[in-house]
Structures are given as structure tokens and as C-alpha cells.
Amino acid sequence: MISLFDCVATLAEVMGQRLRQPEIVNILIPLLNTKWTGLDDMDKKLLPLFECFENVIHAIGEEFIQPYVVQIFERCTRILKSILQTVRAEPKEGWVLTEAFFLRATELISVILLTMGTEKSSELIHHENNLLLSLMVEFLGENNLMARQTVLGLFGDSQERIVDPRQVFLAELIRHASLNL
């Protein structure tokens, strides 16, 4: 059975920038946002909604997603923080339970950062005292190769939007990079 989120994601992929019409966006985004806020952070029903938002945000662009972006971004970082706590509490089972959420949250953050203008992306990255950056560094220290590769990709996507790269735990990044070579 195809879900509403799959249909909307496919619509966004097919329509692309043609979806940037206020009459469409003003119906679509509040509908998706209602679902987004109505599900718990680790509810499996949230997983297709991540992908749906990725496609929709990419298609409609910065202008239309602006009112919702901070809420979406904060939830993704909150989920990442929860995953880190779960993985540290249950090293073996933690990744099995949370891997899909980790991948979806990091991918949605990446899409948001690449879609938003440099200034707004920088604000998001440095939001909450660099919470995203500190979480990324923490995940680089995990034994899970998938997590490290995903986070390094996210660093790559965000590097142009980091105000002062020297502030971003440069010594930690170099240390982790050398451990992964």
C-alpha cells in the first residue's frame, strides 16, 4: 500500500520547482507539518515523512519552507541527541533500533542546509550553541562506520555554512579523521 507521504514525495520529485505555487504549498506544508508534529520522535510512521520532507523541501525551496524550517531542524537534532544517548546506553542494540532514524534525520538536515541560503543555514548550524556540530563530533567517535561516514558527509554539506571553521572543534575533527584513515 502506498502512503500519502510516498505520493507527496513522488509528486515533489516529478513536479520539482513547478511545485512552488502558493496555492499548492499553502495546503501541502501545513498538512505535512500537522503529521510531523503529531508523531513521537521514534514512531516508525515518521520515517516516510522524513523522506517526504526531503523531496518537498528540495522542490519548493527556501521561500516556502521558511516558516517551518527551525521546527523541523530542531526535531532532527533532538532525535540525533536521543539516538546518541540510546547508542551509548545500549552499544550493541542501540544502532539496530535507531539506524533508520539516524540516516533519515541526518539526510533531512543536509537537505535543509543545502536548500536554505548560506545565512539561514549558518544560523541553523550555530543554533542552540552549536548543538548540531557537537553531535556530529560525538557521532564521529562512535564505532559504527555508517554513522561516521554519514556524519562526514553532513560535515561536507555544511562546511560552507559554518561561520568560523576554527570554532568547530577542528582539533577533534582532525583527530577523528586521522583515526578513520
Side-chain angles (χ1 to χ4, degrees):
M1 185 171 120
I2 297 175
S3 75
L4 169 66
F5 306 134
D6 293 332
C7 290
V8 172
T10 302
L11 175 69
E13 274 186 72
V14 171
M15 296 274 305
Q17 293 183 356
R18 292 175 292 181
L19 201 61
R20 294 179 185 179
Q21 298 176 31
E23 60 274 6
I24 295 173
V25 173
N26 290 337
I27 294 170
L28 182 62
I29 299 302
L31 172 70
L32 293 176
N33 192 56
T34 299
K35 284 294 196 182
W36 177 257
T37 58
L39 296 170
D40 291 331
D41 285 351
M42 291 299 178
D43 187 328
K44 290 195 184 287
K45 293 176 189 170
L46 190 62
L47 292 171
L49 189 51
F50 275 106
E51 187 172 357
C52 182
F53 261 126
E54 291 168 28
N55 290 324
V56 169
I57 288 171
H58 180 71
I60 66 173
E62 177 180 11
E63 171 185 351
F64 291 110
I65 199 63
Q66 188 73 36
Y68 304 95
V69 77
V70 171
Q71 177 186 9
I72 295 168
F73 184 86
E74 285 176 346
R75 184 166 198 187
C76 288
T77 55
R78 184 176 69 234
I79 288 170
L80 290 176
K81 187 175 181 179
S82 174
I83 290 170
L84 190 60
Q85 292 167 345
T86 299
V87 167
R88 293 214 168 132
E90 306 171 46
K92 293 187 182 194
E93 280 296 307
W95 280 113
V96 173
L97 298 171
T98 62
E99 182 176 322
F101 287 95
F102 173 80
L103 290 170
R104 296 277 42 112
T106 54
E107 185 61 29
L108 183 51
I109 288 171
S110 181
V111 167
I112 289 170
L113 295 177
L114 293 173
T115 300
M116 303 304 289
T118 303
E119 184 177 324
K120 185 63 180 173
S121 291
S122 293
E123 290 173 17
L124 288 171
I125 289 170
H126 298 289
H127 184 66
E128 295 184 22
N129 295 319
N130 294 328
L131 176 60
L132 175 62
L133 296 173
S134 61
L135 286 170
M136 289 170 28
V137 168
E138 292 291 323
F139 278 113
L140 283 177
E142 288 299 309
N143 288 329
N144 186 296
L145 179 60
M146 175 276 309
R148 292 192 317 258
Q149 288 176 328
T150 301
V151 167
L152 286 171
L154 184 55
F155 266 119
D157 290 344
S158 61
Q159 57 90 19
E160 288 182 1
R161 288 144 171 87
I162 297 172
V163 176
D164 183 359
R166 293 169 298 183
Q167 286 183 312
V168 188
F169 321 100
L170 191 57
E172 275 298 299
L173 287 174
I174 291 170
R175 186 177 75 75
H176 285 297
S178 68
L179 292 173
N180 288 289
L181 292 177

